Short mmCIF file of all heavy atoms in Angstrom, two decimals:
data_model
loop_
_atom_site.label_atom_id
_atom_site.label_comp_id
_atom_site.label_asym_id
_atom_site.label_seq_id
_atom_site.Cartn_x
_atom_site.Cartn_y
_atom_site.Cartn_z
N CYS F 1 -32.01 57.53 -33.33
CA CYS F 1 -33.39 57.00 -33.63
C CYS F 1 -34.38 57.96 -33.04
O CYS F 1 -35.50 58.00 -33.66
CB CYS F 1 -33.56 55.61 -33.01
SG CYS F 1 -32.68 54.27 -33.77
N VAL F 2 -34.10 58.60 -31.90
CA VAL F 2 -35.14 59.30 -31.23
C VAL F 2 -34.74 60.75 -30.96
O VAL F 2 -35.55 61.54 -30.35
CB VAL F 2 -35.54 58.62 -29.92
CG1 VAL F 2 -36.14 57.30 -30.23
CG2 VAL F 2 -34.38 58.51 -28.96
N SER F 3 -33.53 61.22 -31.29
CA SER F 3 -33.14 62.54 -30.94
C SER F 3 -32.05 63.05 -31.97
O SER F 3 -31.52 62.26 -32.76
CB SER F 3 -32.51 62.54 -29.55
OG SER F 3 -31.36 61.77 -29.46
N THR F 4 -31.81 64.35 -31.89
CA THR F 4 -30.81 64.95 -32.70
C THR F 4 -29.91 65.81 -31.79
O THR F 4 -30.36 66.31 -30.73
CB THR F 4 -31.47 65.87 -33.78
OG1 THR F 4 -32.26 66.83 -33.16
CG2 THR F 4 -32.30 65.01 -34.80
N PRO F 5 -28.67 66.04 -32.18
CA PRO F 5 -27.79 66.90 -31.36
C PRO F 5 -28.33 68.30 -31.30
O PRO F 5 -28.86 68.84 -32.33
CB PRO F 5 -26.43 66.83 -32.11
CG PRO F 5 -26.51 65.59 -32.90
CD PRO F 5 -27.91 65.42 -33.29
N SER F 6 -28.20 68.97 -30.19
CA SER F 6 -28.64 70.31 -30.08
C SER F 6 -27.58 71.28 -30.36
O SER F 6 -26.41 71.05 -29.94
CB SER F 6 -29.18 70.58 -28.63
OG SER F 6 -29.43 72.03 -28.46
N PRO F 7 -27.81 72.35 -31.12
CA PRO F 7 -26.71 73.29 -31.43
C PRO F 7 -26.31 74.21 -30.18
O PRO F 7 -25.30 74.88 -30.21
CB PRO F 7 -27.34 74.18 -32.52
CG PRO F 7 -28.83 74.11 -32.32
CD PRO F 7 -29.12 72.71 -31.74
N THR F 8 -27.21 74.17 -29.24
CA THR F 8 -26.87 74.97 -28.02
C THR F 8 -27.01 74.08 -26.73
O THR F 8 -27.82 73.07 -26.69
CB THR F 8 -27.88 76.18 -27.81
OG1 THR F 8 -29.19 75.66 -27.82
CG2 THR F 8 -27.71 77.08 -28.99
N PRO F 9 -26.24 74.43 -25.65
CA PRO F 9 -26.31 73.63 -24.38
C PRO F 9 -27.77 73.71 -23.81
O PRO F 9 -28.49 74.71 -23.97
CB PRO F 9 -25.31 74.30 -23.52
CG PRO F 9 -24.49 75.11 -24.45
CD PRO F 9 -25.27 75.53 -25.55
N CYS F 10 -28.13 72.64 -23.07
CA CYS F 10 -29.41 72.67 -22.29
C CYS F 10 -29.20 71.79 -21.05
O CYS F 10 -29.62 70.71 -21.00
CB CYS F 10 -30.55 72.19 -23.12
SG CYS F 10 -30.26 70.66 -24.15
N ASP F 11 -28.46 72.32 -20.21
CA ASP F 11 -28.18 71.64 -18.93
C ASP F 11 -29.40 71.35 -18.08
O ASP F 11 -29.42 70.44 -17.28
CB ASP F 11 -27.15 72.46 -18.03
CG ASP F 11 -25.84 72.62 -18.75
OD1 ASP F 11 -25.51 71.72 -19.53
OD2 ASP F 11 -25.16 73.62 -18.51
N THR F 12 -30.43 72.18 -18.22
CA THR F 12 -31.75 71.94 -17.64
C THR F 12 -32.74 71.79 -18.75
O THR F 12 -32.56 72.30 -19.86
CB THR F 12 -32.22 73.09 -16.76
OG1 THR F 12 -32.25 74.30 -17.49
CG2 THR F 12 -31.24 73.22 -15.64
N PRO F 13 -33.82 70.96 -18.58
CA PRO F 13 -34.78 70.72 -19.69
C PRO F 13 -35.34 71.93 -20.25
O PRO F 13 -35.75 72.87 -19.51
CB PRO F 13 -35.82 69.82 -19.02
CG PRO F 13 -35.16 69.24 -17.81
CD PRO F 13 -34.19 70.24 -17.39
N THR F 14 -35.35 72.07 -21.54
CA THR F 14 -35.94 73.24 -22.23
C THR F 14 -37.06 72.79 -23.19
O THR F 14 -36.78 72.09 -24.14
CB THR F 14 -34.86 74.00 -22.98
OG1 THR F 14 -33.84 74.35 -22.13
CG2 THR F 14 -35.42 75.22 -23.70
N TYR F 15 -38.28 73.21 -22.89
CA TYR F 15 -39.43 72.80 -23.70
C TYR F 15 -39.83 73.95 -24.63
O TYR F 15 -39.65 75.11 -24.30
CB TYR F 15 -40.59 72.45 -22.77
CG TYR F 15 -40.45 71.23 -21.94
CD1 TYR F 15 -39.79 71.30 -20.76
CD2 TYR F 15 -41.07 70.01 -22.33
CE1 TYR F 15 -39.68 70.12 -19.95
CE2 TYR F 15 -40.97 68.87 -21.56
CZ TYR F 15 -40.26 68.99 -20.34
OH TYR F 15 -40.20 67.83 -19.57
N ALA F 16 -40.44 73.59 -25.65
CA ALA F 16 -41.01 74.58 -26.61
C ALA F 16 -42.09 73.87 -27.58
O ALA F 16 -42.08 72.73 -27.70
CB ALA F 16 -39.92 75.20 -27.44
N CYS F 17 -42.94 74.70 -28.05
CA CYS F 17 -43.92 74.25 -29.04
C CYS F 17 -43.45 74.84 -30.41
O CYS F 17 -43.14 75.93 -30.60
CB CYS F 17 -45.30 74.81 -28.77
SG CYS F 17 -46.20 73.95 -27.39
N ASP F 18 -43.39 73.82 -31.41
CA ASP F 18 -43.06 74.15 -32.77
C ASP F 18 -44.35 73.78 -33.53
O ASP F 18 -44.52 72.62 -33.97
CB ASP F 18 -41.90 73.40 -33.23
CG ASP F 18 -41.56 73.74 -34.74
OD1 ASP F 18 -42.20 74.60 -35.25
OD2 ASP F 18 -40.71 73.04 -35.32
N GLY F 19 -45.32 74.68 -33.62
CA GLY F 19 -46.68 74.33 -34.11
C GLY F 19 -47.28 73.37 -33.17
O GLY F 19 -47.33 73.64 -31.89
N ASP F 20 -47.68 72.17 -33.58
CA ASP F 20 -48.24 71.13 -32.72
C ASP F 20 -47.21 70.01 -32.50
O ASP F 20 -47.58 68.89 -32.32
CB ASP F 20 -49.50 70.53 -33.32
CG ASP F 20 -50.75 71.47 -32.95
OD1 ASP F 20 -50.67 72.09 -31.93
OD2 ASP F 20 -51.68 71.39 -33.77
N THR F 21 -45.94 70.38 -32.46
CA THR F 21 -44.89 69.49 -32.12
C THR F 21 -44.17 69.97 -30.85
O THR F 21 -43.78 71.09 -30.77
CB THR F 21 -43.82 69.30 -33.27
OG1 THR F 21 -44.42 68.83 -34.44
CG2 THR F 21 -42.73 68.37 -32.88
N VAL F 22 -44.10 69.05 -29.91
CA VAL F 22 -43.34 69.33 -28.65
C VAL F 22 -41.85 69.11 -28.91
O VAL F 22 -41.50 68.07 -29.44
CB VAL F 22 -43.84 68.47 -27.45
CG1 VAL F 22 -42.86 68.64 -26.29
CG2 VAL F 22 -45.23 68.79 -27.07
N THR F 23 -41.02 70.06 -28.54
CA THR F 23 -39.53 69.86 -28.63
C THR F 23 -39.01 69.92 -27.21
O THR F 23 -39.41 70.81 -26.39
CB THR F 23 -38.85 70.88 -29.51
OG1 THR F 23 -38.99 72.26 -28.92
CG2 THR F 23 -39.44 70.88 -30.87
N LEU F 24 -38.13 69.09 -26.84
CA LEU F 24 -37.47 69.02 -25.55
C LEU F 24 -36.00 68.84 -25.74
O LEU F 24 -35.53 67.88 -26.36
CB LEU F 24 -37.94 67.83 -24.65
CG LEU F 24 -37.21 67.51 -23.42
CD1 LEU F 24 -37.11 68.68 -22.48
CD2 LEU F 24 -37.79 66.28 -22.76
N CYS F 25 -35.26 69.78 -25.20
CA CYS F 25 -33.80 69.73 -25.26
C CYS F 25 -33.31 69.30 -23.82
O CYS F 25 -33.73 69.97 -22.85
CB CYS F 25 -33.11 71.08 -25.62
SG CYS F 25 -31.37 71.02 -25.77
N ASP F 26 -32.50 68.25 -23.73
CA ASP F 26 -32.06 67.79 -22.43
C ASP F 26 -30.73 67.10 -22.61
O ASP F 26 -30.33 66.79 -23.81
CB ASP F 26 -33.06 66.80 -21.83
CG ASP F 26 -32.98 66.77 -20.33
OD1 ASP F 26 -32.00 67.35 -19.80
OD2 ASP F 26 -33.91 66.23 -19.68
N SER F 27 -30.05 66.74 -21.58
CA SER F 27 -28.69 66.14 -21.62
C SER F 27 -28.79 64.61 -21.64
O SER F 27 -28.65 63.94 -20.64
CB SER F 27 -27.85 66.63 -20.54
OG SER F 27 -27.64 68.01 -20.56
N PHE F 28 -29.12 64.08 -22.82
CA PHE F 28 -29.20 62.58 -22.95
C PHE F 28 -27.77 61.97 -22.95
O PHE F 28 -27.44 61.11 -22.22
CB PHE F 28 -29.84 62.25 -24.22
CG PHE F 28 -31.41 62.47 -24.22
CD1 PHE F 28 -32.00 63.14 -23.16
CD2 PHE F 28 -32.16 61.96 -25.25
CE1 PHE F 28 -33.33 63.38 -23.20
CE2 PHE F 28 -33.55 62.23 -25.17
CZ PHE F 28 -34.13 62.95 -24.19
N ALA F 29 -27.01 62.46 -23.90
CA ALA F 29 -25.56 62.09 -24.00
C ALA F 29 -24.94 63.38 -24.75
O ALA F 29 -24.77 63.38 -25.91
CB ALA F 29 -25.47 60.93 -24.92
N GLY F 30 -24.74 64.41 -23.88
CA GLY F 30 -24.57 65.69 -24.57
C GLY F 30 -25.91 66.27 -24.73
O GLY F 30 -26.95 65.61 -24.51
N ALA F 31 -26.00 67.53 -25.13
CA ALA F 31 -27.28 68.19 -25.37
C ALA F 31 -27.97 67.57 -26.57
O ALA F 31 -27.38 67.60 -27.74
CB ALA F 31 -27.06 69.70 -25.53
N ARG F 32 -29.23 67.08 -26.43
CA ARG F 32 -29.91 66.46 -27.50
C ARG F 32 -31.39 66.94 -27.46
O ARG F 32 -31.86 67.30 -26.41
CB ARG F 32 -29.81 64.94 -27.50
CG ARG F 32 -28.41 64.43 -27.73
CD ARG F 32 -28.35 62.95 -27.90
NE ARG F 32 -28.83 62.57 -29.24
CZ ARG F 32 -28.05 62.46 -30.26
NH1 ARG F 32 -26.76 62.77 -30.21
NH2 ARG F 32 -28.60 62.04 -31.46
N VAL F 33 -32.04 66.88 -28.66
CA VAL F 33 -33.46 67.30 -28.76
C VAL F 33 -34.26 66.13 -29.23
O VAL F 33 -33.95 65.41 -30.16
CB VAL F 33 -33.56 68.47 -29.80
CG1 VAL F 33 -35.03 68.89 -30.01
CG2 VAL F 33 -32.68 69.66 -29.38
N VAL F 34 -35.43 65.96 -28.51
CA VAL F 34 -36.44 65.04 -28.95
C VAL F 34 -37.67 65.73 -29.33
O VAL F 34 -37.96 66.82 -28.76
CB VAL F 34 -36.73 63.96 -27.85
CG1 VAL F 34 -35.52 63.07 -27.61
CG2 VAL F 34 -37.19 64.62 -26.68
N ARG F 35 -38.47 65.18 -30.20
CA ARG F 35 -39.72 65.76 -30.62
C ARG F 35 -40.85 64.87 -30.59
O ARG F 35 -40.66 63.65 -30.78
CB ARG F 35 -39.59 66.28 -32.08
CG ARG F 35 -38.57 67.43 -32.30
CD ARG F 35 -38.32 67.80 -33.74
NE ARG F 35 -37.53 69.00 -33.86
CZ ARG F 35 -36.24 68.98 -33.76
NH1 ARG F 35 -35.56 67.77 -33.59
NH2 ARG F 35 -35.53 70.03 -34.00
N GLU F 36 -42.03 65.31 -30.28
CA GLU F 36 -43.24 64.49 -30.24
C GLU F 36 -44.35 65.17 -31.06
O GLU F 36 -44.69 66.34 -30.76
CB GLU F 36 -43.80 64.34 -28.83
CG GLU F 36 -45.01 63.40 -28.72
CD GLU F 36 -45.47 63.16 -27.26
OE1 GLU F 36 -44.87 63.65 -26.37
OE2 GLU F 36 -46.44 62.47 -27.09
N ASP F 37 -44.85 64.41 -32.07
CA ASP F 37 -45.81 64.99 -32.98
C ASP F 37 -47.20 64.89 -32.32
O ASP F 37 -47.81 63.82 -32.37
CB ASP F 37 -45.78 64.30 -34.23
CG ASP F 37 -46.68 64.90 -35.38
OD1 ASP F 37 -47.46 65.84 -35.08
OD2 ASP F 37 -46.71 64.34 -36.50
N CYS F 38 -47.66 65.96 -31.72
CA CYS F 38 -49.01 65.92 -31.05
C CYS F 38 -50.15 65.74 -32.05
O CYS F 38 -51.12 65.09 -31.74
CB CYS F 38 -49.19 67.26 -30.27
SG CYS F 38 -47.92 67.54 -29.00
N ALA F 39 -49.97 66.33 -33.21
CA ALA F 39 -51.03 66.34 -34.24
C ALA F 39 -51.31 64.90 -34.69
O ALA F 39 -52.48 64.55 -35.02
CB ALA F 39 -50.68 67.18 -35.42
N ALA F 40 -50.28 64.09 -34.66
CA ALA F 40 -50.49 62.65 -35.07
C ALA F 40 -51.29 61.88 -34.12
O ALA F 40 -51.92 60.89 -34.49
CB ALA F 40 -49.10 61.93 -35.20
N GLU F 41 -51.49 62.48 -32.87
CA GLU F 41 -52.35 61.83 -31.87
C GLU F 41 -53.66 62.58 -31.67
O GLU F 41 -54.46 62.33 -30.83
CB GLU F 41 -51.65 61.86 -30.49
CG GLU F 41 -50.21 61.21 -30.50
CD GLU F 41 -49.51 61.38 -29.19
OE1 GLU F 41 -50.11 60.99 -28.12
OE2 GLU F 41 -48.40 61.92 -29.18
#
């Protein structure tokens, strides 16, 4: 519902900007990525 599996490991939090979307890769249940649409706000 809120994340997708990451193709690469991220044992420590890894942040990035994809345009005006924040992406965060972290170990939720294995490496997973969540996104936040900043532009929508």
Side-chain angles (χ1 to χ4, degrees):
C1 289
V2 296
S3 65
T4 56
S6 172
T8 57
C10 45
D11 296 331
T12 58
T14 303
Y15 293 82
C17 285
D18 180 7
D20 276 332
T21 298
V22 172
T23 64
L24 166 61
C25 183
D26 206 350
S27 300
F28 289 8
R32 299 189 71 88
V33 176
V34 294
R35 293 174 173 81
E36 182 177 2
D37 184 358
C38 303
E41 305 173 55

